[in-house]
Amino acid sequence: MNRISSQPGLVSLDDRRRPEPPALVLVAHGSRDPRTLNTVHRLLDQVREQRPGLPVHLGHIELNEPLLPDTLASLGTAEAVLVPLLLSRGYHVKRDIPEMAAASAARTRVAAPLGPHPLLVETLHARLIEAGWSTDEETRRTSAVVLAAAGSRDPDSAVDTRRTAHLLSARLGVPVVPAYASAATPTVDTAIRALAARGRDRVAVASYFTAPGLFATQCAEKAPWIASAPLGTHPAMADLILHRYDQVTNLRGAGPCQLAAPPRGATSHELPALAV
């Protein structure tokens, strides 16, 4: 028999031989706003509660400690899956994170960013309801949503954000226009004016940010009607972080520092594969 004993407190040989799973390293951007760091730590706690026994670590790209290279250095040569706490493809996902991973001794793989994904749409919908969104027919006739995101110069980032806007529009039954706080167009102001010109006189701003911060605050202040809170610690966020981790650990033949995200230049009709 493999098992030493079934008595409480005794560990079976099967358990002792079972290898430890790859560590999950949540990669946050970093922020000077203390609310952001608080949110990230609460998300980590949720992930740990959902997956006891999984080694979970945090690394930042900039601004906050621990920085990702330091987190990876602490892992030595252990195996790790890096899950970006980012909502779309862009420079950080394509360059910064893989380069930091490649420079470490750890055996790393990089998961896809969180978005686009139906779990994000679930969270956006819940935050809008909390802010006062109504599901009646009058709301659908006169309302619209601006999906306010950080913005990026990478065209793939805009593709991913548009995909999320499309999924949210299907969920709400109203137009949803993506807009950006920086680096991309349209701005939130421009999107609100364009929707008003189409007869949509109740425009909500949906905060497509993982945590409170400067951009989220600035975008919310522009809302002519209601503005939802950032995605934050909604339970679906922890579910999605673990889903991205599981996608990588279930891959066959994935090599070190392999990016489990669609290739640069993926077109919109290829995006449904990202939503699972």
Side-chain angles (χ1 to χ4, degrees), residues 64-212:
N64 295 124
E65 295 182 347
L67 293 172
L68 180 57
D70 296 330
T71 297
L72 294 176
S74 73
L75 296 177
T77 59
E79 188 177 2
V81 174
L82 279 56
V83 180
L85 189 61
L86 301 169
L87 301 175
S88 63
R89 292 169 289 171
Y91 189 84
H92 292 314
V93 170
K94 295 179 181 180
R95 295 290 300 276
D96 284 340
I97 296 174
E99 286 177 0
M100 292 178 191
S104 76
R107 291 170 290 136
T108 59
R109 285 173 284 173
V110 182
L114 298 186
H117 195 278
L119 285 172
L120 290 177
V121 175
E122 177 182 331
T123 306
L124 287 163
H125 180 262
R127 295 301 188 215
L128 283 166
I129 295 295
E130 292 168 1
W133 181 267
S134 173
T135 57
D136 58 48
E137 184 61 32
E138 178 64 20
T139 297
R140 286 193 290 272
R141 283 199 304 268
T142 63
S143 302
V145 173
V146 170
L147 183 66
S152 170
R153 292 183 179 86
D154 190 311
D156 286 340
S157 177
V159 169
D160 291 346
T161 305
R162 287 196 299 271
R163 176 60 177 158
T164 299
H166 174 77
L167 293 171
L168 183 60
S169 177
R171 177 72 178 269
L172 296 173
V174 302
V176 177
V177 177
Y180 305 96
S182 69
T185 56
T187 65
V188 173
D189 284 334
T190 300
I192 290 171
R193 287 196 297 269
L195 286 166
R198 291 163 54 184
R200 299 284 171 166
D201 54 11
R202 292 203 300 176
V203 178
V205 172
S207 184
Y208 197 41
F209 300 92
T210 56

Side-chain angles (χ1 to χ4, degrees), residues 212-227:
L214 178 61
F215 282 166
T217 299
Q218 289 176 341
C219 291
E221 289 173 348
K222 298 178 186 298
W225 178 34
I226 59 173

